[in-house]
Amino acid sequence: MFLAVIGLGMAIDLVSVRAAGDPHAEQNQEMSMGNKGIVEKPSNHSVQQTVDRLKSILRSREVTLFAEIDHSGEAEKVGLKMPGTKLLIFGNPKAGTPLMLAAPTIAIDLPLKILVWEDVGRTVWLSYNSADYLQNRHGLPRELLGNLAVVETVAAEAAE
């Protein structure tokens, strides 16, 4: 429950910061959040459809879905409203274990995550940490970046 409350607070902060100004005027291109390491891709589907697509893609690739956190659903339970916001947490020990052996601190960023959220303009986005950001943050050898590639691949496929 504690993690859900923390996540809800982070999601509310994310949505409220976005509401202050529309940073996504160019909605047809991938957005990179500079040194924050967050990649954002617009989706052609609703939040729930995008989440369903992600789950299907993860299943087809035999990637484990560890959790789905419905931030907007939790907000609604406490009488608050926010646009659709869901976080999927997923991974594969065959890919993650070599990363953690090479740089144990990456365990703080694993399993991988994709946030699916709707902005004030009703555009749905997929947001995730870039592989380059994670590599730089934890000092991973470049040859292990492929172990993080699944996040980019599934996000692109789900957004189509």
Side-chain angles (χ1 to χ4, degrees), residues 7 60 101 125 150:
S60 73
L101 290 172
W125 296 90
V150 68

Side-chain angles (χ1 to χ4, degrees), residues 30-156:
E30 176 181 313
M31 304 297 285
S32 177
M33 296 304 291
N35 64 3
K36 291 183 185 179
I38 299 171
V39 176
E40 297 179 328
K41 292 183 177 294
S43 176
N44 292 319
H45 310 282
S46 70
V47 169
Q48 189 58 53
Q49 290 169 330
T50 303
V51 166
D52 291 344
R53 289 173 62 85
L54 281 167
K55 290 160 112 178
S56 176
I57 294 163
L58 292 171
R59 266 191 309 276
S60 73
R61 294 176 179 270
E62 298 181 354
V63 175
T64 302
L65 176 63
F66 294 110
E68 176 183 342
I69 300 170
D70 182 357
H71 291 298
S72 50
E74 293 299 318
E76 189 174 325
K77 288 179 185 177
V78 296
L80 299 172
K81 288 201 178 270
M82 67 182 291
T85 306
K86 295 186 179 195
L87 179 71
L88 295 182
I89 303 172
F90 58 93
N92 181 328
K94 287 182 183 178
T97 302
L99 294 168
M100 290 183 277
L101 290 172
T105 59
I106 196 164
I108 201 162
D109 288 315
L110 296 178
L112 296 170
K113 299 160 216 51
I114 294 179
L115 178 66
V116 181
W117 57 282
E118 183 177 42
D119 68 17
V120 295
R122 303 195 50 94
T123 298
V124 174
W125 296 90
L126 294 93
S127 301
Y128 56 90
N129 287 321
S130 77
D132 286 336
Y133 166 77
L134 293 173
Q135 189 262 332
N136 290 329
R137 180 174 186 195
H138 300 287
L140 289 167
R142 291 220 46 89
E143 61 268 13
L144 288 177
L145 283 181
N147 294 33
L148 299 168
V150 68
V151 70
E152 169 69 27
T153 305
V154 299

